[in-house]
Amino acid sequence: MSANIVFIGLGNMGLPMAQNLARAGLQVSGHDLVKSSVEKLVAAGGKTEADAMAAVTKADVVITMLPASRHVESIYLGENGILAHARAGALLLDCSTIAPDVARKVAAAAEAKGFTMLDAPVSGGTGGATAGTLTFMVGGSAEGFVAAQPYLQIMGKAIYHAGGSGSGQTVKMCNNMLLGIQMIGTAEALRLGMANGMDPKVLSEVMSKSSGRNWVLEVYNPCPGVMEAAPSSKNYAGGFGVDLMLKDLGLAVENALSTSSSVPMGALARNLYDIHSKSGAGGLDFSSIFNMLAKADGGHSQ
Ligand code: NAD
């Protein structure tokens, strides 16, 4: 496969995803506002150009992994954006987590110009991005889904066609609302056990083999020292930021308003992450909500 790929957004997720494409032997031109991230891609066999849009004009595939809806809208639809520069036949994949209606709007604009565009958000965290074991939930045409397979299979392990444009984002929105709720519930349960003198490792091990079992307990324990590879054991650095989780819960709550859905737990989770963010934790991994539930004996430590 000799595709020329442009990858825009080399953050916690985008960098390891782009590195995996480069290590698989594909030509990957990487772009980010943070130059050190671009250098890390180049060190893994990628390349870059001073002007991202000059690279887009030569790309067979453009992949974006950006924070939120507004970044995606502006980089695709802006005057100096991807749709203005991509060449005929280019495949456009947005892997960011954004609002389903924005995904549909951008894809419709792309299709009006003759491009195939898919929303392809991911699950699996930075560990999954590094290992190339992400789950992709893809919205768009069946032909586009087939065309994207060679690239998605390098970055992921479970690749699902959720339906038409925006469907990938709808699945992702539901998944992350559940994840946000589960993280708080798991942190609460751990705090309760610890307040009763339990060793969090023992508590976690037993609950992960019991009916409270969930992904947070299995691979992303919020209590420092329980799992060496989890962000909680690295001062909550890297991983999935509080502000990104807050954004995703905001998408779920807004969507629930427009679809008359009841999401009482999702709304509560959004409010708790909002308070946590406003306390200054917005840039920490979302599992740091564990600190918010600490006993009132010194605030942010366990
Ligand atoms: P991040 O903030 O670490 O990375 C985003 C990157 O985009 C940053 O490096 C930023 O500099 C770059 N960027 C922003 N605007 C840009 C522009 N105009 N041009 C070039 N680069 C630009 O975020 P992340 O954790 O990598 O997450 C990216 C997306 O994936 C988000 O939508 C997030 O919700 C989603 N996501 C994250 C995780 C996770 O565990 N971190 C898991 C699944 C999905």
Side-chain angles (χ1 to χ4, degrees), residues 211-259:
S211 46
R213 175 181 177 189
N214 66 70
W215 183 83
V216 172
L217 274 177
E218 285 172 350
V219 304
Y220 217 93
N221 200 294
C223 178
V226 173
M227 277 173 189
E228 291 317 314
S232 57
S233 295
K234 300 171 190 162
N235 294 318
Y236 298 102
F240 180 45
V242 167
D243 282 347
L244 289 178
M245 176 50 90
L246 181 58
K247 170 208 54 160
D248 290 357
L249 289 165
L251 294 177
V253 171
E254 273 172 33
N255 187 280
L257 286 171
S258 69
T259 55

Short mmCIF file of all heavy atoms in Angstrom, two decimals, residues 211-259:
data_model
loop_
_atom_site.label_atom_id
_atom_site.label_comp_id
_atom_site.label_asym_id
_atom_site.label_seq_id
_atom_site.Cartn_x
_atom_site.Cartn_y
_atom_site.Cartn_z
N SER A 211 -19.82 -8.42 40.02
CA SER A 211 -20.81 -7.81 39.13
C SER A 211 -20.60 -6.30 38.92
O SER A 211 -21.22 -5.71 38.05
CB SER A 211 -22.22 -8.08 39.65
OG SER A 211 -22.27 -7.84 41.04
N GLY A 212 -19.70 -5.69 39.69
CA GLY A 212 -19.39 -4.27 39.46
C GLY A 212 -18.32 -4.08 38.40
O GLY A 212 -17.93 -2.94 38.08
N ARG A 213 -17.85 -5.18 37.84
CA ARG A 213 -16.80 -5.18 36.82
C ARG A 213 -17.07 -4.17 35.69
O ARG A 213 -18.19 -4.08 35.20
CB ARG A 213 -16.76 -6.59 36.24
CG ARG A 213 -15.86 -6.80 35.10
CD ARG A 213 -15.98 -8.24 34.66
NE ARG A 213 -15.16 -8.44 33.48
CZ ARG A 213 -15.16 -9.53 32.74
NH1 ARG A 213 -15.96 -10.54 33.06
NH2 ARG A 213 -14.38 -9.64 31.71
N ASN A 214 -16.06 -3.43 35.30
CA ASN A 214 -16.20 -2.52 34.15
C ASN A 214 -14.81 -2.15 33.64
O ASN A 214 -13.80 -2.47 34.26
CB ASN A 214 -17.02 -1.28 34.54
CG ASN A 214 -16.31 -0.41 35.55
OD1 ASN A 214 -15.31 0.23 35.24
ND2 ASN A 214 -16.80 -0.38 36.79
N TRP A 215 -14.76 -1.45 32.50
CA TRP A 215 -13.49 -1.11 31.83
C TRP A 215 -12.58 -0.28 32.74
O TRP A 215 -11.37 -0.47 32.75
CB TRP A 215 -13.81 -0.34 30.55
CG TRP A 215 -12.63 0.02 29.70
CD1 TRP A 215 -12.00 -0.78 28.80
CD2 TRP A 215 -11.93 1.27 29.67
NE1 TRP A 215 -10.96 -0.10 28.21
CE2 TRP A 215 -10.90 1.17 28.72
CE3 TRP A 215 -12.08 2.49 30.35
CZ2 TRP A 215 -10.02 2.21 28.42
CZ3 TRP A 215 -11.21 3.53 30.06
CH2 TRP A 215 -10.18 3.38 29.11
N VAL A 216 -13.16 0.63 33.53
CA VAL A 216 -12.36 1.46 34.43
C VAL A 216 -11.60 0.57 35.42
O VAL A 216 -10.40 0.73 35.64
CB VAL A 216 -13.26 2.49 35.17
CG1 VAL A 216 -12.48 3.22 36.25
CG2 VAL A 216 -13.86 3.48 34.17
N LEU A 217 -12.31 -0.39 36.00
CA LEU A 217 -11.67 -1.30 36.96
C LEU A 217 -10.63 -2.18 36.28
O LEU A 217 -9.60 -2.52 36.85
CB LEU A 217 -12.71 -2.21 37.61
CG LEU A 217 -13.44 -1.70 38.85
CD1 LEU A 217 -14.47 -2.73 39.28
CD2 LEU A 217 -12.48 -1.39 39.99
N GLU A 218 -10.93 -2.55 35.04
CA GLU A 218 -10.04 -3.50 34.36
C GLU A 218 -8.76 -2.88 33.84
O GLU A 218 -7.70 -3.49 33.92
CB GLU A 218 -10.79 -4.20 33.20
CG GLU A 218 -11.75 -5.25 33.73
CD GLU A 218 -12.64 -5.80 32.64
OE1 GLU A 218 -12.66 -5.25 31.53
OE2 GLU A 218 -13.34 -6.77 32.92
N VAL A 219 -8.84 -1.67 33.30
CA VAL A 219 -7.61 -1.11 32.68
C VAL A 219 -7.30 0.34 33.05
O VAL A 219 -6.27 0.87 32.64
CB VAL A 219 -7.63 -1.22 31.13
CG1 VAL A 219 -7.83 -2.63 30.66
CG2 VAL A 219 -8.67 -0.32 30.51
N TYR A 220 -8.14 1.01 33.84
CA TYR A 220 -7.96 2.46 33.99
C TYR A 220 -8.27 2.89 35.41
O TYR A 220 -8.97 3.87 35.65
CB TYR A 220 -8.93 3.15 33.01
CG TYR A 220 -8.40 4.39 32.34
CD1 TYR A 220 -7.76 4.33 31.11
CD2 TYR A 220 -8.57 5.65 32.92
CE1 TYR A 220 -7.31 5.47 30.47
CE2 TYR A 220 -8.12 6.80 32.28
CZ TYR A 220 -7.50 6.71 31.06
OH TYR A 220 -7.06 7.84 30.42
N ASN A 221 -7.74 2.13 36.37
CA ASN A 221 -8.11 2.37 37.77
C ASN A 221 -7.76 3.81 38.19
O ASN A 221 -6.64 4.27 37.98
CB ASN A 221 -7.38 1.37 38.66
CG ASN A 221 -8.05 1.25 40.01
OD1 ASN A 221 -8.05 2.20 40.77
ND2 ASN A 221 -8.63 0.09 40.28
N PRO A 222 -8.72 4.53 38.80
CA PRO A 222 -8.46 5.95 39.14
C PRO A 222 -7.63 6.15 40.40
O PRO A 222 -7.24 7.28 40.70
CB PRO A 222 -9.87 6.51 39.34
CG PRO A 222 -10.69 5.34 39.78
CD PRO A 222 -10.12 4.14 39.07
N CYS A 223 -7.35 5.07 41.13
CA CYS A 223 -6.59 5.21 42.38
C CYS A 223 -5.10 5.03 42.11
O CYS A 223 -4.68 3.98 41.59
CB CYS A 223 -7.07 4.17 43.39
SG CYS A 223 -6.16 4.23 44.93
N PRO A 224 -4.28 6.03 42.43
CA PRO A 224 -2.83 5.92 42.15
C PRO A 224 -2.25 4.65 42.78
O PRO A 224 -2.60 4.27 43.89
CB PRO A 224 -2.25 7.17 42.82
CG PRO A 224 -3.38 8.13 42.91
CD PRO A 224 -4.62 7.31 43.09
N GLY A 225 -1.36 3.99 42.02
CA GLY A 225 -0.64 2.83 42.56
C GLY A 225 -1.33 1.49 42.34
O GLY A 225 -0.70 0.45 42.48
N VAL A 226 -2.59 1.51 41.92
CA VAL A 226 -3.26 0.21 41.69
C VAL A 226 -2.81 -0.37 40.35
O VAL A 226 -2.55 -1.57 40.23
CB VAL A 226 -4.80 0.37 41.75
CG1 VAL A 226 -5.49 -0.93 41.34
CG2 VAL A 226 -5.23 0.78 43.15
N MET A 227 -2.70 0.50 39.34
CA MET A 227 -2.25 0.04 38.02
C MET A 227 -1.12 0.94 37.55
O MET A 227 -1.34 2.14 37.32
CB MET A 227 -3.38 0.15 37.01
CG MET A 227 -4.30 -1.01 37.04
SD MET A 227 -5.70 -0.71 35.99
CE MET A 227 -6.66 -2.13 36.49
N GLU A 228 0.05 0.39 37.39
CA GLU A 228 1.22 1.20 37.04
C GLU A 228 1.04 1.95 35.72
O GLU A 228 1.52 3.06 35.55
CB GLU A 228 2.49 0.34 37.00
CG GLU A 228 2.94 -0.16 38.37
CD GLU A 228 2.88 0.90 39.48
OE1 GLU A 228 3.33 2.03 39.24
OE2 GLU A 228 2.33 0.61 40.57
N ALA A 229 0.35 1.31 34.75
CA ALA A 229 0.25 1.92 33.42
C ALA A 229 -0.87 2.97 33.33
O ALA A 229 -0.96 3.70 32.34
CB ALA A 229 0.02 0.84 32.38
N ALA A 230 -1.73 3.05 34.33
CA ALA A 230 -2.87 3.97 34.25
C ALA A 230 -2.42 5.41 34.53
O ALA A 230 -1.48 5.63 35.30
CB ALA A 230 -3.94 3.55 35.25
N PRO A 231 -3.09 6.41 33.94
CA PRO A 231 -2.72 7.81 34.20
C PRO A 231 -2.72 8.17 35.69
O PRO A 231 -1.94 9.01 36.13
CB PRO A 231 -3.79 8.61 33.43
CG PRO A 231 -4.18 7.70 32.32
CD PRO A 231 -4.14 6.31 32.90
N SER A 232 -3.56 7.50 36.49
CA SER A 232 -3.61 7.81 37.94
C SER A 232 -2.25 7.56 38.60
O SER A 232 -1.91 8.22 39.57
CB SER A 232 -4.68 6.97 38.63
OG SER A 232 -4.45 5.60 38.42
N SER A 233 -1.47 6.62 38.06
CA SER A 233 -0.15 6.33 38.64
C SER A 233 0.93 7.23 38.06
O SER A 233 2.10 7.09 38.38
CB SER A 233 0.21 4.86 38.40
OG SER A 233 -0.70 4.04 39.09
N LYS A 234 0.54 8.14 37.15
CA LYS A 234 1.49 9.09 36.55
C LYS A 234 1.00 10.51 36.82
O LYS A 234 0.98 11.35 35.91
CB LYS A 234 1.58 8.84 35.05
CG LYS A 234 2.05 7.44 34.71
CD LYS A 234 1.92 7.20 33.22
CE LYS A 234 2.15 5.74 32.89
NZ LYS A 234 1.64 5.37 31.56
N ASN A 235 0.55 10.75 38.04
CA ASN A 235 0.03 12.08 38.43
C ASN A 235 -1.08 12.55 37.50
O ASN A 235 -1.24 13.74 37.26
CB ASN A 235 1.15 13.12 38.46
CG ASN A 235 2.16 12.81 39.54
OD1 ASN A 235 1.77 12.42 40.65
ND2 ASN A 235 3.44 12.92 39.24
N TYR A 236 -1.84 11.62 36.96
CA TYR A 236 -2.97 11.94 36.09
C TYR A 236 -2.54 12.71 34.84
O TYR A 236 -3.30 13.51 34.28
CB TYR A 236 -4.06 12.71 36.85
CG TYR A 236 -4.63 11.89 38.00
CD1 TYR A 236 -4.23 12.14 39.32
CD2 TYR A 236 -5.55 10.87 37.78
CE1 TYR A 236 -4.73 11.39 40.37
CE2 TYR A 236 -6.06 10.11 38.82
CZ TYR A 236 -5.64 10.38 40.12
OH TYR A 236 -6.13 9.63 41.15
N ALA A 237 -1.31 12.47 34.39
CA ALA A 237 -0.82 13.14 33.17
C ALA A 237 -1.18 12.28 31.95
O ALA A 237 -1.33 11.07 32.05
CB ALA A 237 0.70 13.31 33.25
N GLY A 238 -1.28 12.94 30.79
CA GLY A 238 -1.61 12.23 29.54
C GLY A 238 -3.05 11.72 29.61
O GLY A 238 -3.89 12.30 30.28
N GLY A 239 -3.31 10.61 28.95
CA GLY A 239 -4.65 10.01 29.02
C GLY A 239 -5.72 10.85 28.35
O GLY A 239 -5.50 11.44 27.29
N PHE A 240 -6.89 10.90 28.99
CA PHE A 240 -8.08 11.56 28.42
C PHE A 240 -8.46 12.70 29.36
O PHE A 240 -8.89 12.47 30.50
CB PHE A 240 -9.19 10.52 28.29
CG PHE A 240 -10.48 11.04 27.72
CD1 PHE A 240 -10.49 11.87 26.60
CD2 PHE A 240 -11.69 10.68 28.28
CE1 PHE A 240 -11.68 12.33 26.07
CE2 PHE A 240 -12.89 11.13 27.75
CZ PHE A 240 -12.88 11.96 26.64
N GLY A 241 -8.28 13.93 28.89
CA GLY A 241 -8.42 15.09 29.76
C GLY A 241 -9.82 15.30 30.32
O GLY A 241 -10.83 14.97 29.68
N VAL A 242 -9.88 15.87 31.53
CA VAL A 242 -11.15 16.23 32.17
C VAL A 242 -11.98 17.10 31.23
O VAL A 242 -13.19 16.88 31.05
CB VAL A 242 -10.89 16.99 33.51
CG1 VAL A 242 -12.16 17.65 34.04
CG2 VAL A 242 -10.30 16.04 34.55
N ASP A 243 -11.34 18.08 30.58
CA ASP A 243 -12.10 18.98 29.72
C ASP A 243 -12.64 18.28 28.47
O ASP A 243 -13.67 18.68 27.93
CB ASP A 243 -11.24 20.20 29.33
CG ASP A 243 -11.17 21.20 30.48
OD1 ASP A 243 -11.96 21.08 31.45
OD2 ASP A 243 -10.30 22.10 30.42
N LEU A 244 -11.94 17.22 28.02
CA LEU A 244 -12.48 16.45 26.88
C LEU A 244 -13.69 15.63 27.33
O LEU A 244 -14.68 15.52 26.61
CB LEU A 244 -11.39 15.56 26.27
CG LEU A 244 -10.29 16.30 25.50
CD1 LEU A 244 -9.24 15.31 24.98
CD2 LEU A 244 -10.84 17.11 24.33
N MET A 245 -13.61 15.05 28.53
CA MET A 245 -14.78 14.31 29.04
C MET A 245 -15.94 15.26 29.27
O MET A 245 -17.10 14.94 28.96
CB MET A 245 -14.41 13.56 30.34
CG MET A 245 -15.58 12.85 30.99
SD MET A 245 -16.56 11.81 29.88
CE MET A 245 -15.72 10.24 30.04
N LEU A 246 -15.64 16.45 29.78
CA LEU A 246 -16.69 17.45 29.99
C LEU A 246 -17.36 17.81 28.66
O LEU A 246 -18.58 17.91 28.57
CB LEU A 246 -16.04 18.69 30.65
CG LEU A 246 -16.95 19.87 30.98
CD1 LEU A 246 -18.08 19.46 31.90
CD2 LEU A 246 -16.12 20.98 31.63
N LYS A 247 -16.53 17.96 27.62
CA LYS A 247 -17.07 18.24 26.29
C LYS A 247 -18.01 17.11 25.84
O LYS A 247 -19.12 17.34 25.37
CB LYS A 247 -15.91 18.37 25.29
CG LYS A 247 -16.32 18.41 23.84
CD LYS A 247 -15.25 17.86 22.89
CE LYS A 247 -14.78 16.49 23.21
NZ LYS A 247 -14.13 15.73 22.15
N ASP A 248 -17.57 15.85 26.04
CA ASP A 248 -18.37 14.72 25.57
C ASP A 248 -19.69 14.61 26.33
O ASP A 248 -20.74 14.30 25.76
CB ASP A 248 -17.57 13.41 25.70
CG ASP A 248 -16.42 13.36 24.69
OD1 ASP A 248 -16.30 14.30 23.88
OD2 ASP A 248 -15.65 12.39 24.73
N LEU A 249 -19.65 14.86 27.65
CA LEU A 249 -20.89 14.82 28.42
C LEU A 249 -21.79 15.98 28.03
O LEU A 249 -23.02 15.85 28.02
CB LEU A 249 -20.57 14.84 29.92
CG LEU A 249 -19.95 13.52 30.42
CD1 LEU A 249 -19.32 13.70 31.80
CD2 LEU A 249 -21.00 12.41 30.47
N GLY A 250 -21.19 17.11 27.66
CA GLY A 250 -21.97 18.24 27.16
C GLY A 250 -22.68 17.87 25.86
O GLY A 250 -23.86 18.20 25.66
N LEU A 251 -21.98 17.14 24.97
CA LEU A 251 -22.61 16.70 23.72
C LEU A 251 -23.81 15.81 24.02
O LEU A 251 -24.87 15.93 23.40
CB LEU A 251 -21.61 15.89 22.88
CG LEU A 251 -20.38 16.61 22.31
CD1 LEU A 251 -19.48 15.62 21.57
CD2 LEU A 251 -20.80 17.73 21.37
N ALA A 252 -23.64 14.92 25.02
CA ALA A 252 -24.73 13.99 25.36
C ALA A 252 -25.92 14.74 25.94
O ALA A 252 -27.08 14.48 25.57
CB ALA A 252 -24.21 12.94 26.36
N VAL A 253 -25.65 15.69 26.84
CA VAL A 253 -26.76 16.42 27.48
C VAL A 253 -27.49 17.31 26.46
O VAL A 253 -28.72 17.35 26.41
CB VAL A 253 -26.23 17.24 28.68
CG1 VAL A 253 -27.30 18.17 29.23
CG2 VAL A 253 -25.73 16.30 29.78
N GLU A 254 -26.71 17.98 25.60
CA GLU A 254 -27.35 18.81 24.56
C GLU A 254 -28.19 17.97 23.62
O GLU A 254 -29.30 18.32 23.24
CB GLU A 254 -26.27 19.50 23.70
CG GLU A 254 -25.79 20.80 24.27
CD GLU A 254 -24.58 21.33 23.49
OE1 GLU A 254 -24.50 21.09 22.27
OE2 GLU A 254 -23.72 21.95 24.14
N ASN A 255 -27.62 16.81 23.25
CA ASN A 255 -28.35 15.93 22.35
C ASN A 255 -29.63 15.42 23.02
O ASN A 255 -30.68 15.32 22.38
CB ASN A 255 -27.45 14.76 21.93
CG ASN A 255 -28.09 13.91 20.88
OD1 ASN A 255 -28.93 13.07 21.19
ND2 ASN A 255 -27.74 14.15 19.63
N ALA A 256 -29.53 15.11 24.33
CA ALA A 256 -30.71 14.62 25.06
C ALA A 256 -31.81 15.67 25.05
O ALA A 256 -33.00 15.34 24.93
CB ALA A 256 -30.31 14.25 26.48
N LEU A 257 -31.43 16.95 25.17
CA LEU A 257 -32.44 18.02 25.13
C LEU A 257 -33.14 18.03 23.79
O LEU A 257 -34.36 18.13 23.70
CB LEU A 257 -31.77 19.38 25.39
CG LEU A 257 -31.35 19.65 26.84
CD1 LEU A 257 -30.51 20.93 26.91
CD2 LEU A 257 -32.56 19.76 27.75
N SER A 258 -32.34 17.88 22.72
CA SER A 258 -32.94 17.99 21.39
C SER A 258 -33.71 16.74 20.99
O SER A 258 -34.51 16.78 20.07
CB SER A 258 -31.88 18.34 20.34
OG SER A 258 -31.01 17.26 20.17
N THR A 259 -33.46 15.62 21.66
CA THR A 259 -34.18 14.38 21.31
C THR A 259 -35.16 13.98 22.42
O THR A 259 -35.69 12.86 22.39
CB THR A 259 -33.19 13.22 21.05
OG1 THR A 259 -32.33 13.06 22.21
CG2 THR A 259 -32.34 13.46 19.83
#
